[in-house]
Structures are given as structure tokens and as C-alpha cells.
Amino acid sequence: MKSDTQVAIIGAGPAGLLLGRLLRLSGIDNVILEARDRHYVENRLRAGLLEQPTVDLLDAAGTGERLHREGKFHEGFELRFGGRSTRIDMRELTGRAITILYPQTEVVKDLLAARDKTGDPIAFEVSDVTPEDIEGDRPTVRYRDAAGVAHEIRADFIAGCDGFHGVCRPAIPASLTKTFLRDYPFAWFGILADAPPISDELIYAHHIRGFSMHSMRSDKVSRLYLQVAPDDTIENWNDERIWTELQLRMGSEGSPRLNEGPILHKSITPMRSFVTEPLQHGRLFLAGDAAHIVPPTAAKGLNLAVADVSVLSDGLITFYKHGDRSVLDGYSHLALQRIWRAQEFSRAMTELLHHVPGQEFDERLQRARLEGLVASRAAMTTFCENYTGLPFAGRIHH
Ligand code: FAD
Ligand code: DHB
């Protein structure tokens, strides 16, 4: 079956859903195609921390109401190393910046609920998604729906919001792109535990046994992470080993032990830094994980996807409202500036906190860096400016 739209969006993660919503608010028709089913998309456990600019854009999209009611505003976080703990007061240091703990699963549910209300088309469980004619005036996306029926959508533009393993990035000729990749000699083991968090704030801990982190999903549910070897498996970690390791790595003088409880979910996330350049070719535009990956330490992945959408939506809306393609043409250049700043900070924060076995000189340097950070108000202020999120470059249109 053939149909037409203005913007065909591939992927219903935070990037695709938010783009669709912002376009709708400016009267621009769009269709979203998603490979997974709705339940999977709404419950995929991922990021937790939102930057203020992300919250501002979700507010502008009219999808921030529950976030303000249920999200937890964080004004500081704890840094632990050498058995000591230092609280870093983000608000006091930067005069403004805070972060909001509101899980990605909830952001996605809010965006889908808003789409339900406007009735804009979204097809789940599609397959064989193929962007075509991206160099022409009227690109096409072919796909099969959940029942296997073949479809063809003609659009003015295609937005590739289909994540790291999507089909849009490979649709740009390899000879025109450059990719940048860094792997890390570790991965993150994440758990969700039916155990009350010990603090309202996040705790990032550096330890000779490896990095660990304390976050939360509610007053009763903790989200905890452990650095593990890149080839480690979930089967290697029974509950007792997980709690023992977390207690050892998180322990600090005068701080309570973690509350333990049934583990509800376990996962392993690989760590990599990746960027493809440029983000656009012809009428195809990449946004979010389709174009870049950061290691999760600084919680930038989701926020960076939203930052891309801020610029891409500005470009598309400016084109449709004023016939001016300059913002859209400059999308890649503008978005990449912030992407590389976030890459730099994500890598620095990862290397500050993780432990690479056998690198004794580096371990000493790491300690010196951590001591230098907590001893210097200027250093902590710069850290917090990056951690809480740099401003977005796109304009809000309504
Ligand atoms: P995605 O959320 O990946 O959305 C892409 C969508 O496209 C998906 O729904 C996918 O099913 C769909 N899709 C893929 N291929 C196709 C296709 N061919 N056709 C149609 N649809 C397709 N960030 C943090 O900040 N903190 C964290 O703790 C954290 N943990 C993470 C854990 C994991 C396991 C992963 C993978 C990521 C994590 N991230 C984290 C990163 C963060 O979740 C992502 O940066 C964020 O989801 C990016 O949003 P997106 O919309 O660009 O991509
Ligand atoms: C969470 C994950 C992060 O990587 C981070 O830096 C902060 C919070 C989380 O999942 O809650």
C-alpha cells in the first residue's frame, strides 16, 4: 500500500517520539515506524537522569506534566573514593543547574500517550524497513507491517531515529561518512532491586575493585550498577555475589550500607564511544543513538538524543513555516558541536571513575585527579556545568 507524509520517522525511542510530537505541534504530518511492539518499547529499561534542557523541551512538547509531579529533582550527588565521600552541590556551584531523576521508560510512555491523543500514525512491529531515494526530492520508506503486508511511504524527509543497530545510518554511502569509535575494557552490570535507596541522591563510587553506582527508580526500588569485564555474563553473578561486591565498592566511612532486597532485573551494557559524521545526507537526517553512543557514566545518551531533536525539529519547522532550509542544512554541523562536548565529558567521567586492572601508574593519576576535583571549587563547577547539561542549540517554535 502506498501513502504520503511530510516526515517519515524511523524508530519510536525518545528521539523519534519527541520529534514526531514537536512536528505535530507545528502542524507537520509525520508517520513513525517501529520494529518492536508497544509493550517492549514502553518497558525497555534504560536511562534515568534528565538534564534541565531536556525537561524544558519535554515541557514545550506538552509532555512534562507527570515528570514534574513524579520526577525527583536532584541538587547534588555524592562522589566516593578512598573510603571517603564528598557531596557535590550542583545548585550551589553553578547557581542554576540541577538534574531530574525520571526514567526513560516514563518519558517514552508520556510521549506515546500524547501521540495517542493526536492520533498521528505509528506502526509497531514493522520489518524490512528500507529508506530509498534519499538523494532525490521525494524519498521513500518501504516496510512490512505486523501482518507482513508491504507498504511504501513517500515523504519530504526521513528522520533516522532508529538507534545504534538501525537501518538509517548504513543508508548513507560509506564513502561519504567518517566514523569514530572507542571501546572500553569494561562493561556495566545493572540491577533493579526491591530495596529502598540509602540516599535521595546519586552516588558515584571509584574503587580499586571497580566502579559502582547508586541510583533509584522510586522510594522502594534501587537501581545499581557495577563495572564488570566486557565479556562477563549475567550467569556469573548470583545475587549474593552482586550484593557483596556492591557493599565492598560502595563502602565509605560513616555511610550506611546499601539496603539489600530481591533483584528484579539484571542486564549487561557494553561501553563504547561512537560518532558518525555527517548526520545528514540528502533528505535523510540521523538523530540520537543512530548517530552516536556515549558510555553511560555521565547519563548523556538520552539527553543527547533530545538535544539532536531540538536542532532537527527547529530545522524542519523553519523549513515548513518559512521555506528556509538553512537551519536544516546546518543541522549536522550544529548538533555535532554539542555531541563532541558530551563525548568528551562522558569519556573523561568514565576514565575518572573506572578501574583498569594492572595499570598502577594510571590508578595513582586517577586518585590525583579525584583529589584535585574535590579540592577545587573551580574544577567542581566546570564538572557540574558539563554534568548538568549544556544548553540546546535549537529554538522552540510555539
Ligand atoms: P533508541 O532508544 O535506541 O530508540 C531507537 C528505536 O528504533 C527503538 O525503539 C528500536 O526498536 C527502533 N528500531 C531499530 N531499528 C529499527 C528499524 N529497522 N525499523 C524501525 N525501528 C527500528 N543512557 C543514559 O543516559 N543512562 C543509562 O543508564 C543508559 N542505559 C542504557 C542501557 C542500554 C542497554 C542501552 C542500549 C542504552 C542505554 N542508555 C543510557 C542510552 C539511552 O538509553 C539512549 O541514548 C537513548 O535510548 C537514545 O534514544 P534514541 O531514541 O536515539 O534511540
Ligand atoms: C542512571 C544512570 C546513569 O548512567 C547515571 O549517570 C545516572 C543515573 C540511572 O539509570 O538512574
Side-chain angles (χ1 to χ4, degrees), residues 172-185:
I172 301 181
S175 59
L176 302 177
T177 61
K178 186 161 173 55
T179 56
F180 303 83
L181 174 68
R182 243 322 132 73
D183 283 320
Y184 296 84

Side-chain angles (χ1 to χ4, degrees), residues 10-17 33-36 40-41 44-49 104 108 126-129 161-168 188 217 223 225 267-270 287-290 292-305:
I10 305 183
L17 287 167
L33 302 178
E34 166 58 49
R36 302 290 194 145
Y40 182 92
V41 168
R44 187 168 29 199
L45 204 57
R46 284 186 172 176
L49 202 63
Q104 179 167 333
V108 166
V126 301
S127 54
D128 298 343
V129 176
C161 304
D162 51 349
F164 186 63
H165 302 286
V167 293
C168 291
W188 268 23
R217 287 296 178 266
R223 177 89 167 122
Y225 297 99
S267 63
I268 292 192
T269 306
D289 279 16
H292 43 74
I293 297 289
V294 283
T297 324
K300 295 286 172 226
L302 166 62
N303 293 293
L304 210 47

Side-chain angles (χ1 to χ4, degrees), residues 86-106:
T86 306
R87 179 171 187 270
I88 307 216
D89 190 329
M90 299 184 284
R91 184 188 277 288
E92 204 256 323
L93 285 164
T94 64
R96 53 170 177 90
I98 45 174
T99 53
I100 299 90
L101 200 96
Y102 188 68
Q104 179 167 333
T105 45
E106 306 313 300

Side-chain angles (χ1 to χ4, degrees), residues 257-318:
R257 281 167 62 81
L258 295 173
N259 294 315
E260 298 183 15
I263 296 178
L264 310 171
H265 185 272
K266 300 179 185 177
S267 63
I268 292 192
T269 306
M271 305 274 275
R272 61 170 82 86
S273 299
F274 171 84
V275 182
T276 187
E277 291 185 355
L279 306 182
Q280 66 201 73
H281 178 62
R283 287 175 173 255
L284 172 66
F285 296 81
L286 305 176
D289 279 16
H292 43 74
I293 297 289
V294 283
T297 324
K300 295 286 172 226
L302 166 62
N303 293 293
L304 210 47
V306 174
D308 289 354
V309 168
S310 129
V311 182
L312 182 55
S313 61
D314 182 10
L316 288 166
I317 295 166
T318 303

